[in-house]
Amino acid sequence: MRGRCHAAPSGPESDSCSTLVQNRFFGFFLSSSVFPTVPCSWTLQNPDPRRYTIFIKVTKPTGGCKPFQLRTFQYDSFLETTRTYLGMESFDEIVRLCDTTVPVAFLEGGKQFLQMRKGPPRAGMAIYGGEDFKTEYLVVGKRNPSMAACQMLCQWLEDCLASSTSNRPCGIMQTPCLCWDKPPQLSVVDSCYHNGVYLENCLPSVKESGRDAEKNG
């Protein structure tokens, strides 16, 4: 039982090996650049949890992974006096970095901070020296998200749902984007197509020659 228990994080892994990302809405990193040694931490700050949601994609290493070295969680704030996180919620069961049966993990965070921490390996395990894993992140507005953000997020959602099972559900619960197939490319005379629907009893509003109008009815 002792080997399975994990105490709640009590503060940054290392003041000298920590990265805080602020005011950025997309990006990525490789584990070797952010976690060059142990202990290390990487934290992404949500500029306003009422207006934005964090989405993460983790491409797992194919080998050389040591279990329990990486912890991923979100939290509301860090209380300096007691060195504890408030409102902490773990994503370890979603990420499962060493479970390569699902090579990519996706998660969604709605709190002020999302952190990944690399700690030392357990007693008897060699120091982690395996392959890199890649982390990508998006900070997407809950209202009127950008088209570019939605294009990427919808692709993530599609991949997430394709790999999900009853035991491993998709870590993306909801998105502010409308993820569906693009409408067909229409010519200028197809102006009766509006918001995904062909309007009944509609005549094209574009200027047409008499021959084109007769051809189109």
Side-chain angles (χ1 to χ4, degrees):
M1 289 296 294
R2 181 180 302 174
R4 295 185 180 182
C5 291
H6 301 280
S10 59
E13 286 284 6
S14 171
D15 292 334
S16 61
C17 183
S18 62
T19 302
L20 175 62
V21 180
Q22 296 174 300
N23 301 320
R24 295 200 59 179
F25 292 87
F26 62 92
F28 74 93
F29 66 85
L30 296 177
S31 57
S32 58
S33 63
V34 172
F35 306 120
T37 183
V38 291
C40 281
S41 66
W42 176 88
T43 306
L44 175 63
Q45 182 175 357
N46 187 332
D48 186 348
R50 296 168 300 179
R51 299 175 55 195
Y52 299 96
T53 302
I54 294 174
F55 296 93
I56 298 287
K57 175 184 177 181
V58 179
T59 303
K60 304 177 185 181
T62 56
C65 183
K66 295 295 184 293
F68 309 114
Q69 265 202 286
L70 185 79
R71 302 199 61 192
T72 307
F73 56 93
Q74 63 174 343
Y75 61 97
D76 293 316
S77 60
F78 176 68
L79 194 59
E80 194 69 43
T81 54
T82 57
R83 306 289 293 173
T84 55
Y85 294 94
L86 301 180
M88 193 193 77
E89 178 183 347
S90 174
F91 291 122
D92 290 344
E93 286 301 310
I94 298 177
V95 176
R96 293 187 183 181
L97 188 67
C98 295
D99 179 7
T100 56
T101 59
V102 182
V104 181
F106 299 87
L107 56 93
E108 171 188 344
K111 294 182 182 287
Q112 186 80 59
F113 300 95
L114 188 145
Q115 185 175 116
M116 304 180 79
R117 298 168 50 140
K118 179 185 174 186
R122 293 190 174 187
M125 290 185 177
I127 296 294
Y128 178 82
E131 298 181 20
D132 269 346
F133 65 88
K134 180 181 179 181
T135 301
E136 302 169 67
Y137 62 89
L138 284 173
V139 181
V140 183
K142 295 181 179 181
R143 298 184 61 184
N144 301 320
S146 70
M147 182 180 298
C150 282
Q151 287 178 343
M152 180 171 290
L153 183 57
C154 287
Q155 183 60 58
W156 285 12
L157 178 61
E158 181 179 343
D159 297 340
C160 186
L161 293 174
S163 62
S164 66
T165 65
S166 58
N167 295 326
R168 294 295 306 274
C170 176
I172 299 178
M173 304 302 295
Q174 59 182 359
T175 77
C177 304
L178 298 177
C179 298
W180 53 44
D181 292 335
K182 294 181 180 179
Q185 296 296 320
L186 303 174
S187 65
V188 292
V189 298
D190 290 319
S191 56
C192 289
Y193 185 91
H194 182 67
N195 289 339
V197 177
Y198 283 99
L199 305 179
E200 295 183 1
N201 302 322
C202 172
L203 292 176
S205 59
V206 296
K207 295 181 180 179
E208 301 175 328
S209 66
R211 179 177 300 177
D212 289 337
E214 182 178 1
K215 183 187 303 181
N216 291 318

